[in-house]
Amino acid sequence: MDIIAIVLSLFLLVTFAYRGFSVILFAPIFALFAASFSGLPILPGYTELFMAKAVTYIKSFFPVFLLGAVFGKVMEETGMARSIAMETIKLIGKDKAVFAVVFACMILCYGGISMFVCAFAVYPFAAALFREADIPKRLIPACFVAGVFTATMDCYPGSPQIQNIIPTSFFGTSTWSAPVLGLIGAVLYFGLAWGWISYRHKKLKAKGEGYGHHVLNEPEESREALPDWRLSSLPLLLV
């Protein structure tokens, strides 16, 4: 029953978050919902358990969140993230547009840029590339997920993303621990994601679906001069 309550609480929290409700408000509500199924008194469970654990979590990991957010914002505002993304996509070519977008996201994410900043940095080039190659636009989110939210987030050895950093404090390890298992997991992650996206691309192409005619969130051609990609790569290498 305890496990069912936890799973149900997470499901409700994700549902409410996607519907636009405040996570700050509903996280303690659903945590208390799970605690009540475990026989814990509600108010002491909130003050002595939930709040105590929340404060410990913030104390341990807020600096990582803060520095990661600042680093990502600096890379975004200076155009360095866009410069690296454009050079990567240009290097791989439009004939491999799907792989180019996935790979560009992987490079930025593995370099320490926030996962969400990666998506915003790559999207203008991904949309332009997909439009030119006549690939359905609705595959772009899948490419972002494959490049950012899978192997690069927590499988590749040394990944500076918080999902790879947080377990180190509990297991007494470093971000470079279990490199062999990490690489095996990364290959499985990438293979499954790449296989599924390729399968969907072929199915949609067989039905005659191309990029489509879109009027919302279509990126305009930017004439802004971007910094050199070699210079832009230095912060990633430093991280």
Side-chain angles (χ1 to χ4, degrees), residues 58-186:
I58 293 172
K59 176 185 176 182
S60 300
F61 302 113
F62 180 75
V64 178
F65 289 132
L66 178 62
L67 292 175
V70 171
F71 177 68
K73 194 63 178 177
V74 170
M75 292 293 292
E76 179 185 8
E77 291 295 331
T78 57
M80 290 184 173
R82 295 193 298 275
S83 174
I84 296 171
M86 185 175 71
E87 185 65 26
T88 303
I89 292 173
K90 185 192 303 181
L91 179 66
I92 297 176
K94 72 173 185 179
D95 57 325
K96 300 181 181 65
V98 173
F99 179 76
V101 173
V102 173
F103 193 64
C105 288
M106 291 174 66
I107 288 178
L108 294 177
C109 186
Y110 195 49
I113 296 179
S114 168
M115 298 176 292
F116 305 104
V117 173
C118 291
F120 286 109
V122 175
Y123 170 72
F125 307 106
L129 192 62
F130 273 45
R131 182 169 57 240
E132 187 176 352
D134 200 29
I135 299 174
K137 185 180 182 181
R138 56 181 172 142
L139 291 179
I140 292 180
C143 293
F144 288 161
V145 171
V148 173
F149 294 101
T150 56
T152 322
M153 185 171 70
D154 49 20
C155 284
Y156 290 132
S159 173
Q161 295 298 328
I162 57 173
Q163 289 78 11
N164 193 42
I165 293 175
I166 289 176
T168 61
S169 62
F170 295 96
F171 296 111
T173 57
S174 71
T175 57
W176 293 90
S177 62
V180 176
L181 289 177
L183 291 175
I184 293 174

Side-chain angles (χ1 to χ4, degrees), residues 216-231:
L216 296 177
N217 298 321
E218 280 295 286
E220 299 179 0
E221 184 178 354
S222 177
R223 300 183 181 276
E224 178 185 356
L226 296 175
D228 186 84
W229 69 270
R230 289 175 287 265
L231 177 63

